[in-house]
């Protein structure tokens, strides 16, 4: 504490006090002078009784006198260039207690500051640092990004306001608080800067010190420090600036997240995946002023065996980021979740599809892809689609890596049936007859009819997929007609055959996809 600051406090608090500080200096401690022969160090305030101010006293640089001494003693202090404070007798004892309490707080604050610096240097979680500061200073702490997502807060968070308490509970600020933050600067005509500033909240009866977290002259977050008395620690401005740098570092240097703005997408994606409502997401997207592609698909990458988050975090995310650096991504339940832009028809570009396929093959992972959608609020339901198709994919005996929900929607539907024993009774009897005939005659009538049904009874497509001549397909279809009295003009029968083959392939874990979902034209 500066001697001048202490002098001002004492002069305002105790009437009749006189002081002077010809050589203002920083005080680190206080010493009650028990002996008149020992001179305190220059950075300590010496506390003396008026009777001790004799001509033989070695005068310190900084002196407090309890009671008014003789005028000659005061003149000697002035002539010596001593910084002094002299308090009238009736306030002397109270003033000494007050000064001792001030310096006790100063020492405690110095230790707190040192401890917090160590925690920050040790890369301690910001929420833990906030909690330690709050516990030892009685100041509440909160950090949010520009969309309103709560990034860190002191625990416990004790603010008598339902909006603040609810926001801490759910993890993002509600409309009331977002509007308050956004409108305050405009209402008070404040200049945008990255320095701490103090406002007073009538509703909370609290002084709030705030700092904007900024990069490239854009606000990406806020840090708030709340105190009912307004007596913030004397190092709080420095601390807020350090907190701001720490938060910005978290936002822009997290693995595979190249910018603070990119991190907003990541945070909103996280909240969507963890179940935030569509209205909440729409409001936060508008607040953050970020845009999403007009048409999207959710893509989930997952190993078909457990490898742990360390592999996903340290290996898979960097590999995916090297191929798709602009795609927001997060880890959830052992899977990597992202969303990609597609065209209006829902097609992935050939480059994106080939890169996904290469990633899947190189890293032995499965890729689940949702249907196409437009509203970011629908991202969660489409995330569920990707998970559902991956559940099917893990049981598949086919050597595929990429699975589109639309290709496997029927499988997802029958997978939701609790009593799977009913499925075998839904099969058309010709399937078992074809398999028995193939086993006896070494033919491929079952597979031919299966592909024929799955292609919508197209002989040309069947020939292409089975690498057969069209005449061979015609011959096999005629065989099936003659041997088993199948009438391919019966549309009801055709539908039964189609769903029978789908059910049979489900029971055998042999799922087939025929739809490319890739935009082939340049």
């Amino acid at each position: 504490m500066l001697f001048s600051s202490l002098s001002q406090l004492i002069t305002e608090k105790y009437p009749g006090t006189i002081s002077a500080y010809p050589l203002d200096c920083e005080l680190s401690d206080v010493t009650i002078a028990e002996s008149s022969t020992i001179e305190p160090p220059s950075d300590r305030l010496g506390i003396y009784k008026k009777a001790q101010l004799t001509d033989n006293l070695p005068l310190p640089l900084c002196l407090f006198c309890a009671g008014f001494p003789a005028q000659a003693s005061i003149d000697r202090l002035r002539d010596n260039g001593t910084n002094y404070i002299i308090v009238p007798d009736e306030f002397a004892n109270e003033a000494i207690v007050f000064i001792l309490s001030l310096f006790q707080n100063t020492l405690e604050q110095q230790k707190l500051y040192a401890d917090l610096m160590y925690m920050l240097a040790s890369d301690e979680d910001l929420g833990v640092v906030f909690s330690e500061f709050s516990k030892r200073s009685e100041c509440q702490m909160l950090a949010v990004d520009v969309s309103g997502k709560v990034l860190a807060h002191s625990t416990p968070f004790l603010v008598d306001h339902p909006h603040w308490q609810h926001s801490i509970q759910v993890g993002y600020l509600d409309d009331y608080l977002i509007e308050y933050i956004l409108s305050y600067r405009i209402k008070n005509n404040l200049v945008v800067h990255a320095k701490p500033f103090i406002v007073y909240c009538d509703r909370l009866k609290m002084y709030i010190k705030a700092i904007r977290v900024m990069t490239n002259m854009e606000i990406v977050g806020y840090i708030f420090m709340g105190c009912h008395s307004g007596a913030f620690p004397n190092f709080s401005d420095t601390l807020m600036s350090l907190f701001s740098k720490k938060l910005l570092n978290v936002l822009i240097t997290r693995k595979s997240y190249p910018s603070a703005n990119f991190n907003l997408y990541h945070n909103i994606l996280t909240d969507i995946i963890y179940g935030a409502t569509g209205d909440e997401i729409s409001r936060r997207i508008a607040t953050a002023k970020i845009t999403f592609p007009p048409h999207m698909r959710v893509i989930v990458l997952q190993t078909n065996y457990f490898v742990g988050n360390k592999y996903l975090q340290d290996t898979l995310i960097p590999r995916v980021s090297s191929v798709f650096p602009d795609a927001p991504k997060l880890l959830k339940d052992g899977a990597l979740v992202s969303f990609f832009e597609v065209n209006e028809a829902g097609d992935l570009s050939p480059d994106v599809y080939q890169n996904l396929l290469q990633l899947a093959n190189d890293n032995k992972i499965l890729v689940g892809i949702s249907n196409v959608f437009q509203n970011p609020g629908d991202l969660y339901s489409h995330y569920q689609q990707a998970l559902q198709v991956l559940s099917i994919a893990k049981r598949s005996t086919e050597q595929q890596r990429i699975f589109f929900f639309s290709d496997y929607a029927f499988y997802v539907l029958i997978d939701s049936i609790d009593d799977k024993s009913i499925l075998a009774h839904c099969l058309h009897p010709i399937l078992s007859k074809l398999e028995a005939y193939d086993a006896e005659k070494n033919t491929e009538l079952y597979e031919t009819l299966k592909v024929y049904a799955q292609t919508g009874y197209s002989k040309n497509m069947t020939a292409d997929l089975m690498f057969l001549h069209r005449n061979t397909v015609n011959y096999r279809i005629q065989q099936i007609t003659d041997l088993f009295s199948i009438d391919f003009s019966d549309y009801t029968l055709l539908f039964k055959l189609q769903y029978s083959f789908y059910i049979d392939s489900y029971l055998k874990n042999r799922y087939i996809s025929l739809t490319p979902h890739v935009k082939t034209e340049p």
Side-chain angles (χ1 to χ4, degrees):
M1 176 181 291
L2 286 171
F3 188 93
S4 56
S5 299
L6 176 63
S7 173
Q8 184 176 354
L9 283 173
I10 300 299
T11 303
E12 292 176 354
K13 190 173 182 66
Y14 302 108
T17 298
I18 64 172
S19 66
Y21 36 92
L23 187 60
D24 197 8
C25 62
E26 187 77 28
L27 297 172
S28 63
D29 204 353
V30 60
T31 298
I32 297 179
E34 300 293 342
S35 169
S36 298
T37 61
I38 301 176
E39 181 180 347
S42 59
D43 64 340
R44 292 191 184 184
L45 177 70
I47 296 181
Y48 296 84
K49 298 176 183 177
K50 62 182 180 180
Q52 292 177 286
L53 267 64
T54 65
D55 292 341
N56 297 326
L57 176 70
L59 292 177
L61 177 62
C62 300
L63 177 144
F64 172 91
C65 184
F68 272 84
Q71 184 61 44
S73 296
I74 297 176
D75 292 341
R76 182 170 175 246
L77 293 175
R78 290 172 178 165
D79 294 341
N80 188 64
T82 299
N83 300 321
Y84 65 84
I85 302 171
I86 301 176
V87 177
D89 294 76
E90 62 265 36
F91 302 121
N93 290 335
E94 182 183 342
I96 291 173
V97 172
F98 176 68
I99 290 173
L100 291 174
S101 68
L102 283 178
F103 277 90
Q104 179 62 34
N105 288 339
T106 298
L107 291 174
E108 290 176 355
Q109 286 188 13
Q110 290 173 352
K111 185 177 186 311
L112 172 58
Y113 182 73
D115 291 343
L116 294 175
M117 292 305 98
Y118 178 79
M119 294 175 74
L120 288 172
S122 302
D123 203 27
E124 191 72 69
D125 180 79
L126 199 54
V128 175
V129 182
F130 280 1
S131 298
E132 182 66 19
F133 174 68
S134 177
K135 181 175 68 175
R136 293 164 62 178
S137 69
E138 298 183 354
C139 293
Q140 303 298 309
M141 294 296 305
L142 174 66
V144 300
D145 71 18
V146 73
S147 76
K149 179 176 176 62
V150 175
L151 302 176
H153 63 85
S154 53
T155 303
F157 190 81
L158 304 174
V159 173
D160 185 19
H161 194 297
H163 289 283
W164 285 107
Q165 292 300 132
H166 177 262
S167 295
I168 294 300
Q169 182 179 3
V170 300
Y172 46 84
L173 303 188
D174 64 16
D175 291 338
Y176 172 88
L177 296 177
I178 286 290
E179 181 62 29
Y180 177 80
I181 293 171
L182 294 178
S183 65
Y184 190 88
R185 177 171 58 85
I186 299 173
K187 179 181 177 182
N188 294 276
N189 196 28
L190 299 179
V191 177
V192 175
H193 57 73
K195 298 178 181 179
F197 59 95
I198 296 176
V199 298
Y200 181 75
C201 179
D202 289 322
R203 175 65 179 83
L204 293 176
K205 303 300 181 187
M206 178 179 281
Y207 294 90
I208 299 176
K209 180 171 286 193
I211 190 169
R212 303 178 182 97
V213 183
M214 300 181 66
T215 179
N216 298 324
M217 297 305 296
E218 290 187 5
I219 300 172
V220 295
Y222 300 89
I223 297 177
F224 304 105
M225 178 187 294
C227 178
H228 287 288
S229 67
F232 296 102
N234 54 24
F235 59 83
S236 60
D237 279 8
T238 301
L239 190 64
M240 288 290 275
S241 296
L242 292 173
F243 284 159
S244 175
K245 291 178 181 178
K246 170 74 172 180
L247 186 63
L248 182 60
N249 186 60
V250 170
L251 289 173
I252 67 176
T253 63
R254 189 178 290 172
K255 281 187 178 179
S256 304
Y257 304 151
S259 69
N261 187 61
F262 183 95
N263 196 72
L264 293 175
Y265 285 94
H266 169 266
N267 287 338
I268 289 176
L269 175 61
T270 300
D271 290 340
I272 293 173
I273 297 305
Y274 279 85
T277 67
D279 288 343
E280 293 162 353
I281 293 304
S282 297
R283 188 262 303 161
R284 287 189 52 210
I285 290 172
T287 299
K289 296 181 175 62
I290 60 177
T291 59
F292 282 74
H295 301 90
M296 299 168 279
R297 288 183 186 267
V298 174
I299 294 181
V300 177
L301 295 84
Q302 192 174 55
T303 59
N304 54 8
Y305 54 91
F306 178 76
V307 293
N309 277 345
K310 181 172 176 56
Y311 167 80
L312 297 173
Q313 182 72 60
D314 296 344
T315 303
L316 187 58
I317 284 186
R319 290 179 183 176
V320 174
S321 296
S322 67
V323 180
F324 303 111
D326 297 327
K329 55 193 74 69
L330 66 93
L331 293 179
K332 176 72 166 69
D333 298 335
L336 180 60
V337 185
S338 185
F339 61 89
F340 283 24
E341 182 174 6
V342 295
N343 66 13
E344 189 172 356
D347 299 323
L348 293 169
S349 71
D351 286 345
V352 168
Y353 184 86
Q354 288 304 319
N355 286 332
L356 274 175
L357 186 59
Q358 190 70 46
L359 275 170
N361 289 331
D362 291 347
N363 296 279
K364 304 297 187 292
I365 56 175
L366 302 174
V367 181
I369 303 179
S370 77
N371 287 344
V372 63
F373 64 101
Q374 295 177 269
N375 184 354
D378 294 333
L379 200 148
Y380 180 77
S381 62
H382 288 75
Y383 160 68
Q384 292 295 325
Q385 288 181 3
L387 288 183
Q388 288 170 323
V389 75
L390 279 178
S391 175
I392 298 295
K394 287 184 177 181
R395 289 170 279 170
S396 175
T397 58
E398 300 298 320
Q399 298 302 308
Q400 288 180 251
R401 291 290 177 188
I402 298 181
F403 294 78
F404 287 84
F405 179 84
S406 55
D407 293 340
Y408 297 88
F410 186 82
Y411 297 124
V412 172
L413 181 63
I414 60 179
D415 197 45
S416 64
I417 298 174
D418 293 329
D419 184 8
K420 297 296 192 296
S421 64
I422 196 174
L423 295 176
H425 301 294
C426 297
L427 298 176
H428 193 284
I430 192 176
L431 272 63
S432 59
K433 293 178 181 179
L434 286 171
E435 287 185 303
Y437 185 87
D438 285 341
E440 179 182 351
K441 303 294 185 179
N442 194 27
T443 55
E444 292 186 333
L445 298 186
Y446 174 93
E447 192 66 23
T448 302
L449 184 56
K450 176 183 176 181
V451 177
Y452 187 45
Q454 288 180 324
T455 58
Y457 300 98
S458 168
K459 292 178 181 179
N460 287 336
M461 287 185 65
T462 301
D464 290 341
L465 289 171
M466 297 188 70
F467 302 102
L468 298 173
H469 192 277
R470 168 68 183 271
N471 290 339
T472 303
V473 174
N474 286 334
Y475 174 73
R476 290 182 181 180
I477 298 301
Q478 190 60 48
Q479 270 190 294
I480 295 170
T481 302
D482 295 340
L483 289 170
F484 303 101
S485 301
I486 293 295
D487 182 5
F488 286 103
S489 65
D490 183 350
Y491 294 106
T492 302
L493 174 62
L494 297 184
F495 174 67
K496 290 178 181 178
L497 289 175
Q498 283 180 319
Y499 75 65
S500 292
F501 278 112
Y502 273 105
I503 292 174
D504 199 35
S505 63
Y506 172 85
L507 294 174
K508 294 173 180 175
N509 292 327
R510 298 187 63 184
Y511 313 105
I512 296 178
S513 169
L514 301 176
T515 309
H517 304 279
V518 178
K519 184 177 176 58
T520 55
E521 65 268 20

